[in-house]
Amino acid sequence: MNDKLYKILLFASALIIPLVCGGVIYALFTDAYEAFQHFGFLKFLTSSDWSYTQGDEQYGALPFISGTLMTTLLAIIFCIPFSLSVAFFTGEYFRGTKIATVLGTVTDLLAGIPSIIYGLWGFYTLRPIIMSLNISPQGSGVLTASVMLAIMIIPYVSSLSSEFIKMVPKDLKEGAYSLGATRAEVVRKIIFPVAGSGIFSSYVLAIGRALGETMTVTMLIGNTNNIPDSITSTGNSMASIIANQFGEASDLRLSSLIAIGLILFLITAIINMIGKMMIKRARIS
Amino acid sequence: MTNTRIKRRLAKDKLLLWTIYLFAALTTVPLLTILGEVLLRGYDQLSWEFLTQPTPTAYKAMKAIEAGDSIPGGIANGIIGTMIMLGMASICAIPLGILCGTFLAENSKNRFAKVVSYLTDLLQGTPSVIIGIVTYIWVVVPMKGYSAIAGSVALFIMMLPLIIRSTEETLKILPSSLKESALALGGNKVRVMLKVQLPAAFGGIFTGVLLAISRVIGETAPLMFTALGCSFIRWSVDKPISAVPLLIWEFFNDPNLQQLIWGASLFLLLFVLLLNITAKYIAKKWNQ
Amino acid sequence: MESIIPILEFKKTCVSYTKQTMAVKYVSAAIERNTITAIMGPSGCGKSTLLRAANLMHNLYPNITVTGEILLNGENILSMEPIEVRRKIGMVFQRPTPFPTMSIYDNVLSGFTLNGIRLPKEEKDITVERCLKSVSLWDEVKDVLNKKGTFLSGGQQQRLCIARALAMKPNVLLMDEPTSALDPVATKHIEELLLELQKEVTILIVTHNMGQAMRISSRSMFMYLGELAEYGDTATMFSSPSDERTKSYLTGKMG
């Protein structure tokens, strides 16, 4: 095989990616079209009806958009103390030691557990705890799903942030110590500001992950089609309504579900793009 | 005055240290309890019969529960379905992913490559449930039915970006002197790639493939709309088929079959962890 | 009292990285007040290691142990709180390390911010001006005080780092090859500065540049394989070294 053929082969195989992406976008747009056309794009986004009474079908994405945003936001908040601690543990305090390797391995393994198993654990272990604490009577809901989502994204965020904490030059830290700073002061006033943009971007990428997480949320959020009015109330996320109803849906309802999928796809794509851009910039500086 | 101030600062220092200790330790709790729970509740179900028998019907299971017996049958239909779909997805995704990753590594400044690289990120970040929807539109609708083929397509799309990225990254960190010295010896680009670069990158690429498999093997949502599930062992690729995560979902929803959840979860968890640990081990060996 | 007790004194100071190997072996030396003392020696001889011991930098790394005594005004710093010691003994590193997220102004004051000390605005202004003037950087940067410290040239950055250390009014200033990353012009500038500064602060400087030691220091230490081979007046050491190892290093047979 000569070089020219080789080049063509590589080029041709790289075409698969634009092809698949184009196909994804095309398929989502064409099949969501019916719903957008029927309800109007803005109406679909802002309506909170979800009823499939024959002859008077009403579908709107608002409950699911708010469910998704609520679970994601709460998950990020819950995961901050844990992921920051793990990141500083492995990236600064115990950098290069055996215990850091152990903790790193543990979090790596946590990242590998399938989301359906997280869901089971959430359902059979976490939900009873939430019930027994009298936080909510049925145990499932936005809060339960968020706690589980937080556990799922901790490994991802902490290994990314730890990378940026490790990149803070040793010279800089010693410079601060030489002025009489304690370790906590070096962490707060030197490492944190310097690694801050990188750490922040790892949280943005984690949002991208949490938005589309399906099975865990489906098993824990309670599966009701309303806008959650408190953190303990039940609801549905964009991903969980699709998981729950896609199999039984047809016609307008199917199109509405695909429309929700399209919205989820676009939000995730935008968040991921922002996160990747930020992380690139943080890596360069 | 100075002394109390120093004491206060040192106390704050200690406080931060212990906070970090505490939260880092707490993070390991979920892993330990997940492992513990799945292990404790699942280990007595895991048997030869469990791995070789198909799922019982809800009626059979109900009868067994009424009689006070353990539920007969197992998850063989799921294991075989998973293997078939994973096999078909891998056969396509591994070579294509390696080729595409090679393209990105060789042409990093090329405009088209930049677009491809960006779209790879896009695809990798796409929620798996959406891959499920799209595969449904692409494959299930035209074929007028759920099938193993549809499931494989969904897994293929999810594996592709993972393999591309790991190939690209591994090839990029190879010293350029390796390629240059091989080219200087008069090899053409294809030979240098096949005989020098790819073998040198083998460890990294293999790790990437293992991790890609471990990522998609537990995927449930996309298979729900493509492979659907099937309660008996099936070898044909154009009919609905089961998978281990699909079975877990089924057991979760069927009160009669709930006992089987833990055995199936244990099997899946062990498989995923084994893949992860192997991948980590190979990556470590390769880095030395 | 003050004239009897040396400002800084090493007493049988040893530093070891592992149990078997000692990087600094039983160094004893008294540093004279308001002088510049140079530490010379081939690379890997332990000169930086000795210097860093005086600032308790080794405390940051759990596998390094320091034994013996290091006295600051007669008090053994090895049994003192590191953060207290480091305020009294400033340090300037090989590479300039202005804090990239802080402005020039804040960099000078970083010692205070890091130590959680809040100064009133006027005092801040006075300190910044005094310190930047004493490293003769004031005229160059007085209009850009709000710019990041990393915008400055290498020589200016290093002078900023010296100003930052001086702001804490240290008794001793340790310098670890402060000019090795700089061009000759910037180096000359810093050397002139150090000669000025010795009036206010005692300086201990590690250098591999014999010319530099000769130009600025009045006392010199020569270290070899972790031991202090010779310590005395710089002029005497260069004209008639008493130790064989010093002699062969100075005549270029070694290192």
Side-chain angles (χ1 to χ4, degrees), chain C residues 99-250:
Chain C
F99 300 127
T101 49
M102 298 182 190
S103 65
I104 294 172
Y105 186 91
D106 290 334
N107 256 291
V108 178
L109 297 169
S110 58
F112 297 99
T113 5
L114 281 167
N115 287 295
I117 299 169
R118 283 202 192 115
L119 297 178
K121 173 79 174 128
E122 307 104 66
E123 205 174 320
K124 276 190 188 169
D125 291 345
I126 293 167
T127 310
V128 170
E129 188 173 340
R130 173 179 65 82
C131 295
L132 287 177
K133 272 184 175 158
S134 66
V135 296
S136 54
L137 195 58
W138 176 251
D139 292 330
E140 294 160 52
V141 302
K142 63 173 184 243
D143 301 321
V144 289
L145 286 176
N146 288 323
K147 276 205 168 180
K148 295 265 184 290
T150 37
F151 277 107
L152 301 172
S153 72
Q156 287 174 320
Q157 287 190 12
Q158 195 60 299
R159 277 184 279 153
L160 178 61
C161 290
I162 298 173
R164 179 174 82 185
L166 289 177
M168 304 306 288
K169 296 200 172 146
N171 301 347
V172 179
L173 189 60
L174 307 171
M175 308 187 99
D176 191 356
E177 302 193 23
T179 59
S180 66
L182 305 181
D183 62 68
V185 179
T187 302
K188 185 161 173 279
H189 211 131
I190 301 243
E191 285 177 6
E192 285 165 2
L193 174 70
L194 296 184
L195 287 170
E196 269 309 300
L197 283 177
Q198 62 177 322
K199 289 174 202 151
E200 6 173 336
V201 59
T202 309
I203 296 172
L204 191 57
I205 180 170
V206 165
T207 177
H208 59 235
N209 180 337
M210 286 184 276
Q212 183 168 65
M214 213 149 40
R215 285 193 295 273
I216 61 171
S217 71
S218 50
R219 306 270 293 164
S220 284
M221 294 185 187
F222 178 74
M223 290 190 69
Y224 187 69
L225 293 177
E227 288 172 24
L228 181 59
E230 190 168 351
Y231 177 39
D233 280 336
T234 306
T236 322
M237 193 189 281
F238 276 91
S239 58
S240 51
S242 56
D243 190 280
E244 266 315 303
R245 294 167 291 186
T246 321
K247 199 183 279 173
S248 49
Y249 181 71
L250 292 177

Side-chain angles (χ1 to χ4, degrees), chain B residues 128-145:
Chain B
S128 62
V129 67
I130 288 169
I131 304 290
I133 296 182
V134 171
T135 315
Y136 173 86
I137 298 171
W138 282 356
V139 186
V140 177
V141 175
M143 281 181 66
K144 298 196 170 64

